[in-house]
């Protein structure tokens, strides 16, 4: 099969599977479902995370058995490191919000080749927002093209982040006033920047491949920039799936934010 046809088939498979996964998530959303904490890091997980993960694995890995698989809810298999293509999955990014009945979560799936995403989908079934992108072909929300905002100034920008971070006494200069909101889902934050509903997002704590890969492609295809806080680009499906931080915005605002945070030294990752 020619490469373009194979890519189109992968994209169709991905979008269909994620929509099916969204229907499963909504069976649990707002109900008294089971939830617990993971033993290794005490982060929350629900029965919805597990069922969505199982559906996506059955649909995607089942249809493409030669592709690798990396998911937050599946034990890591190092064979992915030798796979040409790898599905990178977060069944529910924003589990805390999901468990509380708040519609600030997405199903996040990317197809990664040579360290970079070539297909990406983020679906919030509670708000019916379906973000999608294919490398080199733009990004869309519910079928319509999207683009980042043209905001260029930090002052007054719509920032999605943990507000107390900006009041920390370690900052050498005070931050200007911003319109700050927060979302539990990292991927959803980036999606809102991609469609212009927000201007930027910043996080100075660790993120994982599955938080970032699909959102990364969607933001870039919407004209934005997304790196670690010090400007390091993301590469996925490496031995370590962790990244130290996140900075995402339209090009002009990215440059302004990078001036403030680019030289910041974060504590060593554990």
């Amino acid at each position: 099969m020619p490469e373009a046809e194979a890519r189109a088939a992968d994209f169709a498979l991905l979008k269909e599977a994620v929509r099916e996964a969204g229907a499963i998530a909504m069976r649990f959303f707002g109900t008294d479902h089971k939830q617990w904490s993971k033993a290794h890091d005490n982060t929350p997980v629900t029965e919805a995370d597990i069922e969505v993960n199982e559906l996506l694995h059955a649909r995607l890995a089942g249809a493409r058995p030669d592709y690798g698989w990396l998911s937050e809810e599946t034990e890591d298999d190092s064979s992915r490191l030798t796979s040409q293509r790898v599905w990178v999955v977060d069944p529910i990014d924003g589990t805390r919000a999901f468990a509380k009945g708040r519609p600030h979560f997405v199903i996040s799936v990317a197809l990664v080749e040579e360290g970079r995403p070539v297909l990406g989908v983020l679906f919030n079934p509670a708000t019916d927002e379906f973000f999608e992108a294919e490398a080199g072909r733009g990004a869309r929300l519910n079928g319509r093209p999207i683009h980042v905002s043209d905001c260029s100034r930090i002052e007054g920008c719509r920032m999605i982040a943990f507000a107390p971070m900006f009041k920390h006494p370690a900052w050498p200069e005070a931050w200007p006033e911003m319109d700050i909101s927060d979302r539990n889902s990292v991927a959803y934050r980036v999606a809102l920047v991609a469609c212009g509903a927000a201007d930027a997002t910043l996080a100075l704590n660790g993120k994982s491949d599955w938080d970032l890969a699909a959102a990364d492609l969607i933001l870039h295809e919407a004209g934005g920039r997304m790196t670690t806080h010090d400007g390091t680009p993301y590469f996925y499906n490496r031995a370590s799936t962790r990244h130290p931080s996140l900075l995402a915005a339209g090009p002009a605002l990215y440059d302004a934010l990078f001036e403030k945070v680019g030289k910041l030294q974060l504590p060593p990752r554990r």
Side-chain angles (χ1 to χ4, degrees):
M1 183 184 297
E3 184 176 348
E5 289 185 27
R7 179 70 54 79
D10 285 346
F11 206 10
L13 171 68
L14 170 58
K15 289 186 283 188
E16 181 179 356
V18 170
R19 286 205 178 273
E20 287 185 52
I24 290 177
M26 291 308 293
R27 290 209 324 260
F28 292 95
F29 183 63
T31 70
D32 187 21
H33 54 267
K34 296 177 183 177
Q35 50 189 285
W36 60 95
S37 296
K38 298 177 188 177
H40 67 283
D41 62 4
N42 207 39
T43 57
V45 63
T46 72
E47 57 184 320
D49 293 83
I50 303 305
E51 287 209 20
V52 168
N53 190 65
E54 290 175 350
L55 179 280
L56 290 170
H57 187 267
R59 294 289 186 270
L60 298 175
R64 303 289 188 269
D66 55 329
Y67 290 13
W69 178 265
L70 174 63
S71 169
E72 181 176 14
E73 305 304 342
T74 305
E75 185 176 354
D76 196 7
D77 180 351
S78 61
S79 67
R80 65 179 172 80
L81 297 172
T82 58
S83 299
Q84 183 180 358
R85 299 178 182 88
V86 178
W87 299 111
V88 179
V89 177
D90 194 337
I92 297 179
D93 186 54
T95 296
R96 286 186 176 88
F98 180 91
K100 294 176 181 177
R102 297 174 182 167
H104 302 152
F105 65 93
V106 290
I107 297 162
S108 172
V109 187
L111 182 64
V112 167
E113 293 183 8
E114 298 181 354
R116 291 293 302 162
V118 295
L119 299 174
V121 169
L122 300 173
F123 183 32
N124 183 336
T127 59
D128 196 30
E129 293 170 293
F130 195 93
F131 300 86
E132 59 180 277
E134 179 179 355
R137 300 180 69 101
R140 294 173 295 281
L141 167 57
N142 295 342
R144 296 183 177 182
I146 55 175
H147 200 274
V148 294
S149 77
D150 60 4
C151 178
S152 61
R153 290 169 53 86
I154 298 175
E155 185 173 7
C157 78
R158 298 165 298 168
M159 170 68 73
I160 308 182
F162 181 58
M165 172 178 65
F166 299 104
K167 302 295 185 182
H168 196 284
W171 293 110
E173 296 179 3
W175 283 79
E177 288 298 315
M178 297 176 285
D179 178 6
I180 303 174
S181 60
D182 200 1
R183 296 290 185 272
N184 180 232
S185 166
V186 175
Y188 192 38
R189 292 184 191 183
V190 176
L192 293 173
V193 175
C195 71
D199 299 313
T201 186
L202 174 66
L204 298 177
N205 56 345
K207 307 302 175 192
S208 297
D209 277 12
W210 45 79
D211 300 317
L212 303 173
D216 186 346
L217 179 63
I218 289 167
L219 185 82
H220 277 92
E221 290 295 320
R225 294 184 65 186
M226 175 172 153
T227 65
T228 64
H229 78 285
D230 62 2
T232 304
Y234 297 110
F235 288 93
Y236 305 103
N237 192 39
R238 301 300 195 239
S240 172
T241 60
R242 293 291 284 175
H243 308 271
S245 56
L246 166 67
L247 172 60
L253 185 54
Y254 175 95
D255 289 342
L257 290 165
F258 183 75
E259 283 294 311
K260 284 194 73 74
V261 304
K263 295 181 180 179
L264 186 68
Q265 296 294 316
L266 297 182
R269 282 182 284 167
R270 296 180 179 179

